[in-house]
Amino acid sequence: MSDVLDLCRKFELFLPNVELSLSEVIELDGCTKSLLNHFIKNPNTLNQRTLIKIQAIIDYMHEKINIGNWKDVKLYLRKTITISSYLKLLIYWKDPNNPMDDLLKESYKIIDFGLVFGCPIENELQLLQKCAGLLNPYSSDYVSEISTNTIKLKHNEVNVEPNKCNTVPVDVMDCPSMESFYTNRILKEKPVVLINCMNNWPALTKWNDQNYFLKMAGLRTVAVELGSKYTDSDWTQKLMTVEEFIKDHIYQSNGPKGYLAQYQLFDQIPELKADIIEPEYCCFAETENPIDVMAWYGPKGTVSPLHHDPKKNLLSQVVGEKQIYLFPPSDSKYLYPHDHELLSNTAKVDPREPNYEIYPEYRHAKAYYCKLKPGQMLFIPPKWWHFVESLSISFSVSFWWD
Amino acid sequence: MEYYVAGSNLFNQWFDDLDFFSEFRKMSKSEDPNFDFRLANLMQINWSYNIFQLRKNLYLLGAFDGRKIAKKIDIPEECRKSPLVAGNDYNLVIGHNNSSALWILNLEDNSIKNVYLDRELPLELSPKRNKTDNEIQKLVVNNFSCLYLTKGKNVYSGILPSYIDTSHCNGHIIDVACGYEHYMLLTSTGYVYTWGDGRRLQLGQDDTSNLETPTQVEALAGIKIIKIKAGGWHSMALSEFGDLYVWGLNDTGQLGIKESENDLKSYALPKLVDLYDDNEEVHLQIKDIACGSKHSVLLLEDGSVWTTGANKYGQLACPQYPNSKNFNKVCVIKEACRLKCGPWTTVVVCN
C-alpha cells in the first residue's frame, strides 16, 4: 500500500513541468485545453469519476491523429495524448484500493499507448519513459521466469548448414581505423563484416539470458510481426507484451512465426539502450538526421526477404546467428523486384533456393554471403540488396544513418 | 419536437450528471428555465457541445470552453428567417437561405468574420460556376472539412470557401456530406460522387487512391440513391427502394455487415446490407440513416432503430455490447421521424 502512495507522489513530481507544457498545445480546442488545465492545476480532482473525461480526450485525439498522413499529424495532438496518458496514469495510482499487479499491468499499457501515439513534450522530454522507469523495480515480481532447461534446449537447436554455393564471402575487417572504414567502405559503398568492434557492449553478456528481458520489460507492449515473411498475404502485426512474445514465440512455435522486427525498442525502454554502444563509424553522416536504432528479436527461422534500404546500415549481432546474402545495386535487374509501388524495394528471388526457371536472369547475379556471429557487425551500404535469416534465437540491433 | 438520446454526455450537453447514456433517454425540460428541448430545433451534435435553435437565438449546450454552458448566441438579423448553422471545435458557421453570406464565429475569442461565397474567388478561376445564384442551401462543417451547397447547385469547400467544379456531375447537386477526410455529393438523378482521401476505402472506388475532384461511385450506377451520409472514415447510401449500401473502414463494425463480423473487413466498394432480427431477414423499408465517427444508425418504417459499430460511449443505445459488428434492433419508437448523430452520439427525433 505504501509503495502505491510513494510511487503516486513520485509521479506527481512531474506535474509542474507538465503544466508548463500546456503552452505547447495552445492550438487545441478550448474545451480540451481548459479540461487539461483544470486537471493539471487541481490534481485532487483526478479520480475515477474524471477518468472517463481523460479517456475521452485520448480517444478523440486518437481519432484526430488518424486523419491524414502520419508524418503530417500536428504535434500538439500527439502531445495531448502524452499529457492525457500521464494524467490517466495518475488516476490509477491515486486509488489506494488498486492491487499492485493490476496497477503495474494497466500502467504499462497506458504508458506504451502514450509512447506509440504520443510524442515528447519539451518540458519533460522523457515523461512516460521516466514513469515506466519508476515502475520497473516492482514489475519483475509479477513476471515468471523461463526455466534454464527450456532455454538450453532452444539455444542448442542445430543449425542447418546453409547453402553457400556460388557465393563470395563478405570481406572481414578486424576493428578498422576510422579512416580506413571511411575510405574503403563508406566511400566505395562496399559491405564488410567488422569483428572486435562491439566487445565492450554489456548486451553481449546480459542479453544471452532471455529472462533479463522478462525482468526489464516483461509487461511492456510491443508490436510483433506475425507470419513467415512480410511479403506473405497472411502476414500481420499484433500488439502483445514482451512476456507473451518471449513465452509464445521465442520459446514456443506452434502458431505463426513471431518477429519483433525493425522496432524502436530503445526509445520505448531507455534502460535497454544502456546495454548497447552506438558505433563510432556512424559519425560519417551527410545529414543532421538522428540515427535510427532498431531492435530485431526473434526465434530461429525469421526471414527478411531480399530487399534494400535507403540508408547506411550497421547490423550488429548480439545474440545467436544470422545468415545474410548481399547483392550490389547494379544487380537489381537480375533479382526481379515486386511490381507494386509499396514493395518495389523487395525482390521475388529467394537466394537460398533460387528458382532459375521462373527467374532465369538470377544466374548473372553475384551473391555475397556471411554468417554473422554474436559480437560481429555487418556494414550494408545504402541500396545494397540483402536477405536475412536467423539460424537460432537471435537478437540484432541495426543502426541506420544517412 | 422530442429527442431520444444515446451516447456521449461527457460535457453535460444534455443537462444530466451521467457521463453517457447507454440507452435512449427522452429529453424534456432542461435545468435552464429558458430552454425547453421540446421547443428547440437540434441543428448539430459536436464532440463537446450541441447546437439548438430556439426562436431568434442559437443555444450552444455543453462545454466548448470546458465549463458547463448554455450559451446563447443572437442570430444575425439577416439570417433570422431560416438560419443554417454548423460548427466544429473552433468555429460556428452561420448562414441563411437567401444569401451568399456566412458569419464565422470564433468560439474562443467570440470574434466574427464575414465571408461571401461569390466574392472570395476571382471568377476566371471558376468559369463554369452559376454566378447568379449562390444562396446557401446547406452547410456541413467538421474540424477538417466543410462544404456549402447553394440553391444554384454550386458546391464550395473550406472555411474560406473555394468553388468545386461539379459541371460533369449528372443532374444537379441536392446533398453534400463530409467525413473526416472525404466528401460526398448526391445529385437529383440519384448519382453519388466522392472525393478526398481514400486510404481507408471510404471513397467506394475499389482502391485506396485519393481523388481531387468529385468522381462517380460507379458501383452504384443504375441504383437511384436518395440519401447519403458520411461517418469518420465510412460512407452510407440509401436507395429509392430503401436498400442500404455501405463502404469504407469497418474496424469497429460500423458497416454492420453480417458476413464480415469475424474479420471486420473493410469494403472498397458499396456493399448491400441485409438486416436480421433473430436470424430472420427483415424486409422493411429504411426511412432514415445517420452515422457518427465510428458507428451507424438506421430508422425503419416501423419505427425500429438499428445500430452498429463503436459503443464505448453508449452511442449504440444498447448496453450489452462493447462494439457491435452488425446492425441490431435496439428499440422501437413509433413516432420517430428522423435520425441525427454526433461523433459519439445517436439522437432519434420525433415531431
Side-chain angles (χ1 to χ4, degrees), chain A residues 14-22 40 83 86 121 124 127:
Chain A
F14 298 119
L15 270 170
N17 283 346
V18 173
E19 186 178 338
L20 287 176
S21 70
L22 282 173
I40 291 170
I83 295 170
Y86 165 73
I121 51 172
E124 191 60 75
L127 174 66

Side-chain angles (χ1 to χ4, degrees), chain A residues 13 52 102 142 176 181 185 189 193 207 240 242 244 262 305:
Chain A
L13 293 177
I52 188 161
D102 288 356
Y142 298 96
F181 181 74
R185 301 297 152 178
E189 301 207 326
V193 172
W207 295 5
M240 60 179 81
V242 169
E244 287 164 338
Q262 199 178 323

